[in-house]
């Protein structure tokens, strides 16, 4: 859909013209997986897919929403008791509530919106939705909330109105995204720095391959990973009190406690310590425009996620194998694992062969046609018109 059509939809639905249009994107994370809860870094970037909304204050204390993609309407008041039934509307309700909880006054409004972030594929369509509305309401009602707090509002929406206990990365990337840059975010201090990322002129593309599987998880493997990391960090801390998280640890420190922790905990910690370093190495390489080194690091990350952290699966390892087979520069699992997408840094000249070959190979092996999402690192939350 184009913005022109969105304006038409708005006018038809609400009987008058929209006041303004806003947009906020989904995100990718180039490298830095399972590092957030270890106090380490992540390296996300906003993408050229997001939520676009048309909005106008309506002078009441009611919100009226229209989701173009679901072809559904929903209205609600702004008190805690007004929580809507529809899942998609809860993201907007949560944003409104979190703003109100911060002592700001939001009036009623009408809004129509659509999106092109694939849902549930690991590109954070939900953060795009939250950030688009948080940014729009802040701007429209002149609330004076800074960008950082807008990201917090989105995160709190997930926690309090959706029931997802996520970190800050997704909303942060959606709000702070900048064309031609990734964001190196320190998950402990929340300090951030832009890192140049403009692969196209250097002859590379970023493409996600969606395995289209999501394996049922038993015994909450994510919690077990966290416990392993905490156990390893605690063992190291007994000798090195300055180690708060694994982010602060070195391979030498890990070697010292080898006999004091389980082999499993050791493997998990080895991955995390390596991953923190790989991310920093990748950032140095990006500053020099050295995409080949970045690609090596991505393959190393995949290998670690598969062998040491054990969050891969047959399908993701197969996709990683395809990337190698077709000459892709870097490829790895993006997100928690056990399904979802791989993120690939692909030389322009290999792109077609990689996509065609991978689709055919994967289909032959698993009888599923993977989905392909091309992404370009782009600007974050903004007013469009
Ligand atoms: P993701 O990994 O994409 O963030 P989530 O499950 O966290 O997956 O969020 C997906 C949910 O966000 C959808 O089920 C829907 O409720 C809401 N959502 C995302 N994009 C849209 C959209 N374009 N229109 C309506 N709702 C959307
Ligand atoms: Mg989400």
């Amino acid at each position: 859909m184009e913005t022109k059509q969105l304006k038409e939809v708005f006018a038809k639905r609400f009987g008058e013209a929209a006041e303004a249009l806003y947009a906020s994107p989904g995100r990718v994370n180039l490298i830095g997986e399972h590092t957030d809860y270890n106090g380490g870094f992540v390296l996300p970037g906003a993408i050229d897919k997001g939520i676009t909304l048309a909005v106008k204050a309506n002078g009441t204390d009611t919100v009226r929403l229209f989701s173009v993609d679901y072809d559904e309407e929903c209205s609600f008041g702004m008190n805690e008791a007004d929580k809507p039934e529809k899942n998609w509307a809860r993201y907007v309700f949560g944003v409104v509530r979190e703003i109100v909880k911060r002592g700001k006054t939001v009036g009623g409004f009408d809004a129509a919106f659509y999106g092109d972030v694939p849902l549930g594929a690991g590109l954070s369509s939900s953060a795009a939705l939250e950030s688009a509305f948080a940014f729009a309401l802040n701007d429209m009602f002149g609330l004076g909330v800074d960008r950082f707090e807008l990201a917090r509002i989105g995160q709190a929406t997930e926690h309090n109105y959706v029931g997802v206990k996520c970190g800050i990365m997704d909303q942060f990337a959606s709000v702070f995204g900048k064309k031609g840059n990734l964001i190196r975010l320190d998950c402990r201090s929340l300090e951030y720095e832009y890192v140049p990322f403009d692969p196209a002129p250097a002859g590379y593309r970023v493409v996600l391959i969606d395995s289209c599987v999501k394996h049922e998880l038993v015994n909450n493997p994510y919690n077990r990973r966290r416990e392993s990391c905490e156990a390893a960090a605690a063992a190291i801390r007994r000798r090195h009190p300055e180690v708060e998280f694994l982010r602060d640890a070195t391979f030498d420190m890990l070697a010292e406690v080898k006999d004091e922790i389980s082999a499993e905990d050791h493997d998990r910690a080895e991955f995390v310590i390596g991953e923190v370093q790989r991310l920093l190495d990748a950032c140095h390489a990006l500053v020099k425009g050295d995409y080949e080194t970045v690609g090596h690091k991505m393959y190393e990350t995949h290998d670690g996620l598969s062998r040491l952290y054990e969050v891969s699966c047959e399908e993701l390892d197969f996709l990683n194998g395809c990337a190698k087979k077709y000459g892709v520069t870097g490829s790895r699992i993006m997100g928690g694992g056990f399904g979802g997408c791989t993120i690939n840094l692909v030389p322009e000249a290999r792109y077609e062969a990689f996509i065609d070959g991978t689709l055919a190979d994967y289909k032959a092996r698993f009888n599923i046609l993977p989905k392909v999402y091309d992404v370009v690192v782009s600007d974050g939350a903004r007013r469009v018109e």
Side-chain angles (χ1 to χ4, degrees):
M1 174 174 271
E2 302 286 322
T3 52
K4 183 167 166 285
Q5 282 167 283
L6 180 65
K7 285 193 277 190
E8 286 165 10
V9 168
F10 183 98
K12 196 165 154 228
R13 184 71 41 183
F14 299 114
E16 51 187 343
E19 199 170 282
L21 270 68
Y22 296 89
S24 203
R27 61 102 192 92
V28 289
N29 183 33
L30 191 72
I31 197 163
E33 215 60 74
H34 293 282
T35 44
D36 53 346
Y37 52 85
N38 287 296
F41 300 95
V42 288
L43 192 62
I47 58 173
D48 57 335
K49 299 174 187 5
I51 294 283
T52 305
L53 66 89
V55 64
K56 188 178 197 302
N58 63 19
T60 72
D61 46 17
T62 302
V63 176
R64 293 193 295 176
L65 296 179
F66 179 64
S67 159
V68 172
D69 300 314
Y70 288 129
D71 191 21
E72 280 177 0
E73 214 175 80
C74 184
S75 31
F76 50 81
M78 299 198 196
N79 298 310
E80 201 59 36
D82 298 323
K83 187 169 174 177
E85 278 302 314
K86 287 189 168 51
N87 276 325
W88 61 264
R90 290 187 172 185
Y91 292 91
V92 183
F93 177 74
V95 166
V96 170
R97 286 299 306 155
E98 289 297 333
I99 291 174
V100 171
K101 284 184 201 168
R102 284 160 175 77
K104 305 284 180 182
T105 310
V106 183
F109 59 90
D110 300 334
F113 68 98
Y114 69 90
D116 58 358
V117 186
L119 306 187
L123 298 179
S124 228
S125 66
S126 62
L129 181 53
E130 293 144 11
S131 304
F133 274 91
F135 187 90
L137 297 179
N138 183 46
D139 189 65
M140 209 170 64
F141 292 108
L143 305 179
V145 177
D146 65 36
R147 280 189 184 250
F148 195 82
E149 200 56 30
L150 293 178
R152 290 275 206 202
I153 285 167
Q155 182 193 24
T157 296
E158 299 265 354
H159 289 190
N160 302 327
Y161 297 91
V162 187
V164 174
K165 299 283 175 216
C166 59
I168 190 85
M169 172 172 79
D170 300 351
Q171 291 78 14
F172 195 90
S174 185
V175 171
F176 282 87
K178 196 158 106 178
K179 190 173 175 235
N181 289 270
L182 300 174
I183 313 169
R184 195 192 75 184
L185 174 65
D186 182 328
C187 296
R188 174 162 55 192
S189 68
L190 296 179
E191 286 169 346
Y192 68 97
E193 201 174 280
Y194 289 103
V195 179
F197 185 75
D198 195 11
Y204 301 91
R205 281 210 219 178
V206 178
V207 59
L208 299 162
I209 308 287
D210 191 341
S211 67
C212 297
V213 298
K214 202 75 213 168
H215 291 289
E216 275 305 319
L217 302 178
V218 287
N219 301 329
N220 205 335
Y222 295 120
N223 275 355
R224 281 190 49 203
R225 298 299 179 282
R226 288 179 88 121
E227 284 161 18
S228 286
C229 293
E230 280 159 24
I236 295 170
R237 197 178 308 118
R238 284 195 282 275
R239 291 158 189 264
H240 303 276
E242 73 278 14
V243 173
E244 185 191 4
F245 291 106
L246 279 182
R247 173 252 176 99
D248 304 310
T250 62
F251 287 125
D252 288 345
M253 292 178 186
L254 181 62
E256 289 169 7
V257 300
K258 191 166 171 116
D259 299 330
E260 297 162 26
I261 59 177
S262 71
E264 182 178 302
D265 292 354
H266 184 276
D267 283 349
R268 308 304 189 231
E270 188 182 335
F271 166 76
V272 172
I273 294 169
E275 184 70 355
V276 171
Q277 191 55 49
R278 277 189 289 276
L279 184 145
L280 296 175
D281 293 346
C283 289
H284 287 303
L286 282 175
V287 169
K288 290 188 281 182
D290 175 5
Y291 289 93
E292 292 299 311
T293 297
V294 173
H296 283 301
K297 298 292 160 194
M298 292 168 74
Y299 276 122
E300 284 174 28
T301 292
H302 184 94
D303 189 54
L305 285 168
S306 183
R307 271 188 325 104
L308 296 171
Y309 220 65
E310 295 183 274
V311 293
S312 190
C313 57
E314 219 188 323
E315 292 88 349
L316 290 170
D317 285 343
F318 187 87
L319 288 176
N320 192 258
C322 290
K324 285 185 184 148
K325 174 176 168 190
Y326 294 105
V328 167
T329 306
S331 177
R332 67 175 197 87
I333 300 162
M334 193 178 80
F338 304 113
C341 292
T342 59
I343 179 168
N344 303 272
L345 182 63
V346 189
E348 187 65 53
R350 302 276 164 83
Y351 181 84
E352 247 187 71
F354 168 54
I355 299 298
D356 294 351
T358 299
L359 294 190
D361 293 355
Y362 193 84
K363 177 88 173 50
R365 174 71 184 77
F366 299 106
N367 202 25
I368 304 171
L369 201 60
K371 295 201 181 88
V372 178
Y373 311 120
D374 286 291
V375 296
V376 177
V377 170
S378 302
D379 284 328
R382 63 200 177 273
R383 183 167 175 172
V384 179
E385 275 183 37

